[in-house]
């Protein structure tokens, strides 16, 4: 079953980077999926391209096989999903640090330091845009 999810203008597709015309929802027996619909013309012919953005709410099967990590995996259309992923990973690591060897812990720390540096730069740039 297909349905239009949202009629939008000036929205950028997170998958291909092009402007999309609307978001479309397709419901299946087990889940609901979101597509960015791009309408364009090639000569006089109207063309439609659809980019798959993922599950509307959650990926049921993926969550079942990642129950120990317990994130709520969502599609590209959810811009705040990364915060939920980070919180799930942090919670997961807090309770299991003793399970990792020294090299893995050092690598985790290095990756986190790199991330914090990039985050500080992005915050600084946004604060000083004015």
């Amino acid at each position: 079953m297909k349905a239009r999810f949202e009629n939008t203008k000036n929205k950028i597709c997170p998958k291909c980077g092009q402007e999309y015309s609307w978001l479309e929802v397709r419901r299946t027996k087990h889940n609901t999926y979101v597509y960015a619909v791009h309408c364009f013309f090639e000569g006089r012919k109207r063309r439609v391209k659809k980019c798959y953005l993922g599950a509307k709410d959650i990926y049921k099967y993926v969550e079942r096989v990642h129950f120990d990590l317990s994130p709520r995996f969502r599609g590209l259309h959810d811009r705040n999903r990364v915060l939920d992923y980070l919180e799930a990973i942090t919670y997961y690591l807090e309770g299991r640090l003793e399970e990792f060897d020294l090299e893995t812990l050092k690598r985790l720390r290095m990756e986190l330091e790199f991330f914090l540096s990039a985050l500080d730069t992005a915050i600084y740039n946004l604060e000083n845009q004015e």
Side-chain angles (χ1 to χ4, degrees):
M1 179 174 164
K2 297 179 189 176
R4 285 191 182 186
F5 181 71
E6 166 185 328
N7 209 350
T8 59
K9 292 196 185 238
N10 299 322
K11 295 285 186 167
I12 303 300
C13 176
K15 189 162 193 175
C16 70
Q18 301 296 314
E19 187 174 321
Y20 62 82
S21 303
W22 68 83
L23 294 178
E24 179 179 286
V25 172
R26 291 186 189 176
R27 290 176 183 81
T28 66
K29 184 176 179 181
H30 299 289
N31 214 343
T32 304
Y33 301 98
V34 178
Y35 295 80
V37 181
H38 306 274
C39 293
F40 57 95
F41 286 89
E42 287 181 352
R44 291 185 170 199
K45 290 197 174 215
R46 180 177 176 249
R47 301 283 186 202
V48 175
K49 174 187 160 198
K50 296 179 183 180
C51 289
Y52 172 70
L53 301 183
K56 183 171 186 274
D57 297 314
I58 61 172
Y59 288 97
K60 295 173 185 174
Y61 176 75
V62 173
E63 286 192 12
R64 278 185 280 179
V65 297
H66 289 88
F67 64 91
D68 60 333
L69 190 54
S70 69
R72 301 298 303 207
F73 290 109
R74 291 185 299 278
L76 288 170
H77 60 89
D78 186 343
R79 305 249 184 222
N80 293 319
R81 70 190 186 283
V82 69
L83 183 57
D84 291 337
Y85 297 167
L86 186 57
E87 288 172 353
I89 290 168
T90 301
Y91 181 77
Y92 174 83
L93 289 174
E94 281 178 335
R96 291 179 170 82
L97 288 176
E98 68 280 349
E99 296 174 14
F100 296 98
D101 61 28
L102 181 60
E103 289 303 312
T104 304
L105 290 172
K106 286 181 178 181
R107 186 163 176 217
L108 279 168
R109 181 177 178 82
M110 183 180 69
E111 292 296 330
L112 287 170
E113 287 175 352
F114 175 76
F115 173 70
L116 288 173
S117 175
L119 191 59
D120 287 342
T121 300
I123 290 169
Y124 176 82
N125 290 341
L126 283 173
E127 288 177 340
N128 293 301
Q129 276 183 348
E130 299 170 3

